[in-house]
Amino acid sequence: MDKGLRFMFCVITTMLLLRESSQTGEKNDPKMLAASKSGFGTDSRGPEGGLPTLTVTTILEDPYVMVRSAELEGYCIDLLKALAAMLHFSYRVKVVGDGQYGAVSSSGNWTGMIGEVLRQEADIAVAPLTVTSAREEVVSFTTPFLQTGIGILLRKDTVSQEMSFFHFLAPFSKETWTGLLFAYVLTCFCLFLVARLSPCEWNEPKNEENHFTFLNSLWFGAGALALQGVTPRPKALSVRVIAAVWWLFTIALLAAYIANFTALLSSGSEQLPIQTFEDLVKQRKLEFGTLDGSSTFYFFKNSKNPIHQMIYEYMDKRRDHVLVKTYQEAIQRVMESNYAFIGESISQDLAAARHCNLIRAPEVIGARGFGIATTQASPWTKKLSVAVLKLRESGDLDYLRNKWWETSCLHKSRERWSPLQPQALGGLFLTLAIGLALGVIAAVVELSNKSRHAAGHVKKSCCSVFIEEMCTRLRIKENTRQSQETSGRANA
């Protein structure tokens, strides 16, 4: 009897252990997560709550749908939750059986998520599913919830330019340097002119020597650029006005130069030499390719753009060497060799967010979108499209985008730096021009006042005395004036 009880006890214990093991296996299976976990199955929003239940097919892809802690999470899961709350439906999530997005097989049937929607194994497909004309012919798509395109993924140290010998000129653009040189020469000429016209700076031109020669004026302006005091020192108000406004100009200019040069050095390089697909074709340092047999490859094959045709011919001739099989292989190759990967821009943004030594070039071509697929006769297509538009208008889609594409990289993007253009210093150049004009006007006023007093003593008109003073100070027509004086004495 005791042996029979022991036998029954062992049988019952074994059955309980086998049942627990079976439940644990189902719990860890990603495809069974939807049916076994609340939140992805028919939870409180299920039929018992009077809400319609939708079967949702998706695919495991980071960061759209991922398995973490035996649960599904990601961008598409958060999007699905928001849509369910807005449209009042329950859902059951299942991972696509064959792991495909959807394409026509050799037998003529659709595979992947598109095939499951067509066979009514799922009501909708919520995944990074690209809206294409072929798919649109058999299923209906909602308004795209994510926009993407074709971009270029690069490693930063492979695209950095070597510093040129005149790298110190990079903080300012060529136009800014040209404007600065013109402003310097003009200011020095105004100093020379005003110092000669002003009687306070040069009272007796026949007996005195003017220290503000043109060479000395150039030296005075250069000293101000270096924040150094140089001689000669201005005495007249008109000369001091020009000197003060030039000092103000140089201080602001040097501050802008130092700030921009610091930003240039901290960025580690100049601008990306590869900004566009045309730049990629012209260079010879990097190899480039895409996923073998992908829609990106056929985009370049079918494009009529000459640049795109050159890219396709390059990849087609070297397909065994430049085309990759998987996205992870492409990322690894970009990080380890001189290789540029052409692919989905939104996936490249994620790679750049995860790997701080990667960067995406600015140009994006072939704009396309990710949409939710439904059957063509589904009443949910219109409702889901409107809900997606509302989420976009409220900023919820942007929030989800920032949440799942968040980066921990603290570097500054190099393409944000650019040489300082003249427009940024327009107010500074205008201030200098006004100061030069005020200095010249002040010198003319000073010379006019002296001419007015001298005209009363010599019994001549103020205008003639003013012209004589100006010619004397500028040493204009010296021989003509002497011949006029000699002829005047002879006539007397």
Side-chain angles (χ1 to χ4, degrees):
M1 187 68 180
D2 292 339
K3 292 182 178 180
L5 289 175
R6 289 194 189 99
F7 178 77
M8 291 294 296
F9 178 77
C10 292
V11 171
I12 293 173
T13 303
T14 303
M15 292 179 64
L16 290 175
L17 290 174
L18 289 174
R19 182 180 179 183
E20 182 179 355
S21 176
S22 175
Q23 289 178 347
T24 304
E26 290 179 358
K27 182 178 180 180
N28 293 329
D29 187 359
K31 298 182 181 181
M32 298 302 294
L33 284 171
S36 61
K37 288 291 178 180
S38 61
F40 301 109
T42 55
D43 54 8
S44 60
R45 295 168 294 182
E48 62 274 18
L51 298 177
T53 302
L54 298 181
T55 301
V56 181
T57 180
T58 188
I59 192 170
L60 295 178
E61 182 177 339
D62 186 14
Y64 302 98
V65 180
M66 300 169 290
V67 179
R68 291 182 181 175
S69 302
E71 291 186 355
L72 292 178
E73 65 175 24
Y75 179 94
C76 289
I77 300 301
D78 287 351
L79 174 63
L80 189 57
K81 290 179 180 178
L83 294 174
M86 184 177 296
L87 299 178
H88 306 289
F89 65 85
S90 180
Y91 55 87
R92 184 175 64 89
V93 179
K94 63 185 293 289
V95 178
V96 61
D98 58 5
Q100 302 295 320
Y101 288 91
V104 181
S105 63
S106 57
S107 61
N109 298 321
W110 281 85
T111 62
M113 292 177 285
I114 299 296
E116 291 190 352
V117 172
L118 287 175
R119 295 188 297 270
Q120 297 185 352
E121 297 173 8
D123 297 305
I124 60 175
V126 182
L129 195 58
T130 305
V131 180
T132 63
S133 58
R135 292 171 179 170
E136 190 73 52
E137 290 180 355
V138 294
V139 297
S140 294
F141 280 98
T142 64
T143 300
F145 56 84
L146 267 180
Q147 297 293 338
T148 183
I150 300 175
I152 308 170
L153 185 65
L154 309 156
R155 195 175 76 247
K156 292 177 181 177
D157 56 357
T158 61
V159 297
S160 58
Q161 292 178 325
E162 296 182 358
M163 289 190 178
S164 63
F165 190 72
F166 296 98
H167 193 63
F168 67 94
L169 298 176
F172 289 164
S173 65
K174 295 179 181 179
E175 295 79 6
T176 304
W177 284 115
T178 303
L180 175 59
L181 179 62
F182 178 77
Y184 167 70
V185 174
L186 179 63
T187 302
C188 294
F189 177 76
C190 287
L191 277 173
F192 165 74
L193 178 65
V194 170
R196 283 189 168 271
L197 291 179
S198 175
C200 300
E201 188 69 41
W202 194 32
N203 191 27
E204 295 294 337
K206 294 182 179 180
N207 302 324
E208 296 182 28
E209 181 182 357
N210 191 295
H211 297 290
F212 269 97
T213 63
F214 187 67
L215 290 178
N216 286 345
S217 299
L218 291 174
W219 180 244
F220 183 88
L225 277 173
L227 298 181
Q228 300 294 321
V230 294
T231 55
R233 302 183 184 277
K235 302 176 183 178
L237 175 63
S238 54
V239 182
R240 288 178 177 180
V241 167
I242 294 179
V245 75
W246 177 243
W247 288 335
L248 175 63
F249 178 85
T250 56
I251 290 174
L253 189 74
L254 288 173
Y257 177 86
I258 293 172
N260 219 31
F261 193 59
T262 303
L264 171 62
L265 294 179
S266 63
S267 67
S269 172
E270 298 181 4
Q271 282 186 295
L272 287 175
I274 299 178
Q275 300 276 341
T276 65
F277 284 87
E278 184 176 0
D279 297 334
L280 184 64
V281 172
K282 290 180 179 179
Q283 59 83 38
R284 293 293 180 267
K285 183 179 180 181
L286 298 178
E287 296 179 324
F288 53 88
T290 187
L291 292 174
D292 190 10
S294 64
S295 59
T296 301
F297 181 81
Y298 289 104
F299 170 84
F300 288 100
K301 180 180 180 180
N302 300 325
S303 176
K304 303 301 182 183
N305 188 303
I307 299 297
H308 300 171
Q309 280 296 309
M310 293 173 65
I311 293 176
Y312 167 72
E313 291 174 1
Y314 174 89
M315 295 189 298
D316 188 50
K317 290 179 181 178
R318 301 166 177 82
R319 61 168 52 243
D320 294 335
H321 187 60
V322 300
L323 297 185
V324 293
K325 301 297 182 182
T326 64
Y327 182 75
Q328 291 302 324
E329 179 187 349
I331 300 299
Q332 197 69 20
R333 187 166 177 180
V334 171
M335 296 178 63
E336 296 178 353
S337 62
N338 291 340
Y339 181 77
F341 174 63
I342 302 174
E344 293 284 351
S345 60
I346 197 166
S347 299
Q348 294 175 348
D349 290 339
L350 178 65
R354 301 285 174 83
H355 307 280
C356 298
N357 60 334
L358 299 182
I359 191 171
R360 179 176 63 79
E363 186 181 35
V364 176
I365 61 175
R368 59 189 73 179
F370 294 154
I372 300 174
T374 66
T375 57
Q376 290 186 333
S378 175
W380 289 98
T381 308
K382 181 71 173 181
K383 296 178 183 179
L384 290 170
S385 292
V386 174
V388 168
L389 288 174
K390 288 182 179 179
L391 290 175
R392 177 177 298 154
E393 292 169 356
S394 63
D396 290 339
L397 292 184
D398 291 332
Y399 168 76
L400 292 179
R401 173 74 157 75
N402 295 331
K403 174 184 176 182
W404 292 103
W405 273 259
E406 183 180 6
T407 177
S408 58
C409 303
L410 300 179
H411 65 273
K412 294 183 179 179
S413 180
R414 287 173 296 182
E415 65 267 21
R416 294 179 182 176
W417 178 88
S418 60
L420 203 60
Q421 299 296 325
Q423 293 81 358
L425 301 175
L428 194 59
F429 280 97
L430 178 61
T431 302
L432 178 63
I434 294 175
L436 296 180
L438 290 176
V440 173
I441 293 173
V444 172
V445 170
E446 291 172 350
L447 185 59
S448 299
N449 290 335
K450 182 181 180 182
S451 300
R452 188 180 302 108
H453 292 297
H457 291 88
V458 297
K459 307 296 183 179
K460 292 183 179 180
S461 67
C462 181
C463 183
S464 61
V465 174
F466 178 80
I467 294 175
E468 288 178 2
E469 284 284 343
M470 182 175 293
C471 293
T472 302
R473 294 177 184 279
L474 297 179
R475 295 195 173 117
I476 299 175
K477 298 181 180 179
E478 187 75 23
N479 296 331
T480 304
R481 189 170 67 252
Q482 289 177 359
S483 62
Q484 288 178 352
E485 292 177 355
T486 303
S487 61
R489 293 193 194 100
N491 292 333

